[in-house]
Amino acid sequence: MLLSDVVDTSHAVAATSSRTAKVEALAACLSRAALDGPDTVEVVAAHLSGVLPQRRIGVSWRGLRSLPDPADEPTLTVADVHAAATAMAGLGGSGSAASRSAAVTELFARATADEQRWLRGLITGETRQGAGDGVMLQAVAKAAAVPDAAVRRAVMLAGFTGPVARAALDGGVGALEAITLEVGRPLRPMLAGSAPDVPAALETLGGEVVVETKLDGIRLQAHVDHRSTPGTVRLFTRTLEEVTDRMPEITEALSGLDVDTAVLDGEVIALGEGGRPQPFQVTGARTASTADVERLRAEVPLTPYFFDLLHLDGRDLLDEPARERWSALAATVPPAWLVPRLATDDAGAASGFFTDLVAAGHEGVVVKDPELPYAAGRRGPGWVKVKPRHTLDLVVLAVEWGSGRRRGWLSNIHLGARDADTGELVMLGKTFKGMTDEMLAWQTQRFRELAVEDPDASEWVVHLRPEQVVEIAFDGVQRSSRYPGGMALRFARVLRYRDDKRVEEVDTVQTVRSLAGW
């Protein structure tokens, strides 16, 4: 299959606002890819989702500034691109930078001008075509003539769209049903909705609920497998990135569990004196670093807390009521590893529990329905988070050069939410508030790395690849014709940058409107 077919499809998807038309175009391309075989389907599904199957290949926008003259005719195939990306991802050690640069030149010399532009966006994460996860999963279902629900569940369990598209178009419903939870392979985590306060959360769920401590740490999925090699533990973040080597104290602790196999969902957090949580940045910096892990372990030890058990000794628990999963969890891990929680139907008791937790330095609570299954990969109806202030997770779309005391720093950030219907990122406003000098220095370096073009060549606004998630506090929402979303956040301020969250997880335009009561 020629790459030009994928590029043309991407352009067609970007050119229409119709969800139906997007699904039709993507499904047709996947069907054509199937003629080349399941390998091609898997790669094309990933590319049309705007990602490389290899995830990272070590090439930044700087490595794509000087490209060779484009080819006159399209001859580059999807397989050619995949092979080149795989080779680049495997490069390392002395001389790898030069080898990677040569590989980029060789690949792009075979691409037409249109293909070069599209490949550059794919590699840098700048592909914007309005085909979010939901649209792509619908397209897979349509191309394979299988139920949407079967595709959604398979992706929840497999983690990524490419392998599921391969299974669906190659083997239909039977192949999708064969995709189950696999110990050692991360699945998409269940996410929580939001409520303005505890009584509202209880009203949303109704009846007796469990009010659970919301820790200000890093989401962790732990896979324990003692079947073949005792002590085998693999750790994954909420973005499905493996971090096993970064947390030796956690792997050592889990290796001692008296189980054959287990998959646990929880958090890790750095605690200070008296068990009070350290600031999120402390935990984030510890879990993000791969250098001198033993020193960091001694200086910033991590503590695990778990709130769910998804698999135990050959039995998947995803479809079991939460109450049964929690009971199995309590019998599997030490009591000190369990997230504190309160079962109640009383709003006053729940609010008091929330107040005490916030005073102890925790982020808030998650109110959960004890009778519902685990909704992997989405914001299930049974989890509602409550924080002591209005907050949103948004993505930084662009940034402006500062003036006055902030001259020389990238300062005012443009904030975007995701439209749940189209998958598009929609700007909600800007903010420069809440930024310390340390944060300004960090984001100036970070946004230079994410800049679509040379940031130093810009006089004012620097457009970015939409990859950096930021947590924003705000006082309210007001209508505004100034921004594409038709609204703006009042007194928005930066709380922290969230490297542990993917852009696909940012809050939606619809959520912001609901908070405003519209």
Side-chain angles (χ1 to χ4, degrees):
M1 185 178 195
L2 288 175
L3 179 67
S4 59
D5 192 349
V6 177
V7 174
D8 290 344
T9 299
S10 180
H11 291 337
V13 169
T16 179
S17 59
S18 167
R19 185 184 183 96
T20 300
K22 291 177 187 289
V23 170
E24 292 278 357
L26 292 168
C29 187
L30 290 172
S31 297
R32 293 191 297 274
L35 299 176
D36 273 10
D39 288 348
T40 301
V41 170
E42 183 169 344
V43 176
V44 168
H47 286 182
L48 287 174
S49 298
V51 299
L52 289 166
Q54 299 80 6
R55 308 287 282 178
R56 295 184 178 89
I57 61 173
V59 178
S60 67
W61 68 269
R62 290 186 180 86
L64 300 173
R65 284 183 297 181
S66 299
L67 297 177
D69 292 336
D72 295 327
E73 299 292 334
T75 61
L76 197 61
T77 67
V78 170
D80 293 333
V81 174
H82 184 63
T86 300
M88 283 185 264
L91 293 173
S94 178
S96 60
S99 298
R100 189 172 287 110
S101 177
V104 166
T105 299
E106 181 180 354
L107 174 64
F108 276 78
R110 299 179 57 194
T112 64
D114 195 25
E115 290 169 344
Q116 284 191 353
R117 285 190 292 271
W118 191 84
L119 278 173
R120 181 173 178 170
L122 178 67
I123 292 172
T124 61
E126 181 61 17
T127 301
R128 297 184 187 180
Q129 58 194 23
D133 203 42
V135 172
M136 178 55 69
L137 298 188
Q138 274 189 274
V140 171
K142 183 175 182 62
V146 297
D148 288 1
V151 175
R152 288 196 300 270
R153 180 170 177 84
V155 168
M156 292 173 190
L157 297 173
F160 302 102
T161 303
V164 172
R166 175 191 184 116
L169 274 80
D170 191 38
V173 172
L176 292 176
E177 291 177 344
I179 297 175
T180 60
L181 187 154
E182 183 178 309
V183 179
R185 181 184 67 191
L187 63 153
R188 296 189 180 188
M190 182 171 176
L191 306 173
S194 299
D197 53 44
V198 172
L202 267 66
E203 183 178 350
T204 297
L205 298 182
E208 184 178 83
V209 299
V210 165
V211 187
E212 189 175 89
T213 307
K214 190 176 192 312
L215 297 167
D216 201 11
I218 296 293
R219 186 79 173 264
L220 190 74
Q221 192 179 119
H223 291 241
V224 182
D225 189 351
H226 296 331
R227 290 170 299 184
S228 56
T229 305
T232 299
V233 176
R234 298 184 69 183
L235 307 176
F236 302 91
T237 67
R238 66 186 295 144
T239 60
L240 311 189
E241 178 186 6
E242 183 163 7
V243 291
T244 305
D245 293 340
R246 303 179 197 174
M247 306 180 191
E249 66 267 51
I250 306 299
T251 59
E252 290 171 9
L254 288 169
S255 66
L257 286 182
D258 185 18
V259 299
D260 288 330
T261 56
V263 178
L264 304 105
D265 192 4
E267 301 242 349
V268 290
I269 190 168
L271 300 176
E273 294 184 8
R276 190 176 181 86
Q278 296 263 43
F280 175 81
Q281 289 80 358
V282 175
T283 300
R286 163 64 208 277
T287 56
S289 178
T290 58
D292 203 354
V293 171
E294 288 302 323
R295 176 183 62 80
L296 290 174
R297 172 183 181 173
E299 294 178 353
V300 187
L302 298 172
T303 299
Y305 286 94
F306 296 104
F307 49 73
D308 225 319
L309 183 63
L310 313 182
H311 172 96
L312 180 65
D313 292 339
R315 179 188 171 205
D316 292 343
L317 304 178
L318 294 170
D319 295 325
E320 301 297 328
R323 193 186 304 278
E324 294 187 19
R325 301 197 308 273
W326 297 336
S327 177
L329 175 66
T332 301
V333 303
W337 292 2
L338 295 174
V339 172
R341 51 166 61 112
L342 170 70
T344 184
D345 60 359
D346 181 75
S351 296
F353 186 68
F354 169 82
T355 300
D356 291 343
L357 288 173
V358 172
H362 295 295
E363 191 177 13
V365 298
V366 181
V367 183
K368 297 184 176 182
D369 186 330
E371 304 304 329
L372 291 186
Y374 189 91
R378 59 190 176 91
R379 296 189 188 276
W383 289 12
V384 181
K385 62 185 176 183
V386 181
K387 299 182 182 181
R389 58 202 163 193
H390 292 306
T391 66
L392 292 170
D393 292 324
L394 302 174
V395 62
V396 183
L397 302 176
V399 62
E400 297 173 3
W401 283 108
S403 58
R405 195 183 71 80
R406 295 192 178 190
R407 183 176 299 278
W409 278 339
L410 290 172
S411 174
N412 200 351
I413 58 176
H414 296 199
L415 304 168
R418 180 173 55 84
D419 189 317
D421 295 329
T422 67
E424 300 281 357
L425 296 174
V426 180
M427 185 178 176
L428 297 182
K430 310 176 186 180
T431 187
F432 58 86
K433 299 181 182 297
M435 299 174 183
T436 63
D437 286 357
E438 180 181 3
M439 185 180 291
L440 284 165
W442 177 88
Q443 70 183 41
T444 298
Q445 178 180 347
R446 171 63 170 159
F447 294 151
R448 282 178 176 275
E449 297 170 354
L450 294 181
V452 177
E453 302 291 347
D454 184 356
D456 294 317
S458 171
E459 295 183 0
W460 192 246
V461 178
V462 178
H463 294 280
L464 308 177
R465 303 195 308 273
E467 296 179 9
Q468 182 62 58
V469 177
V470 61
E471 185 175 359
I472 297 293
F474 62 102
D475 291 350
V477 183
Q478 61 189 26
R479 298 186 187 277
S480 172
S481 60
R482 183 177 182 182
Y483 301 115
M487 54 188 165
L489 305 178
R490 296 182 66 248
F491 302 110
R493 53 207 181 271
V494 175
L495 292 180
R496 54 182 171 170
Y497 285 100
R498 299 300 301 259
D499 292 328
D500 59 317
K501 291 194 174 184
R502 301 179 301 165
V503 173
E504 291 80 7
E505 298 178 40
V506 300
D507 284 295
T508 65
V509 173
Q510 289 79 3
T511 294
V512 180
R513 287 177 182 150
S514 69
L515 290 173
W518 300 341

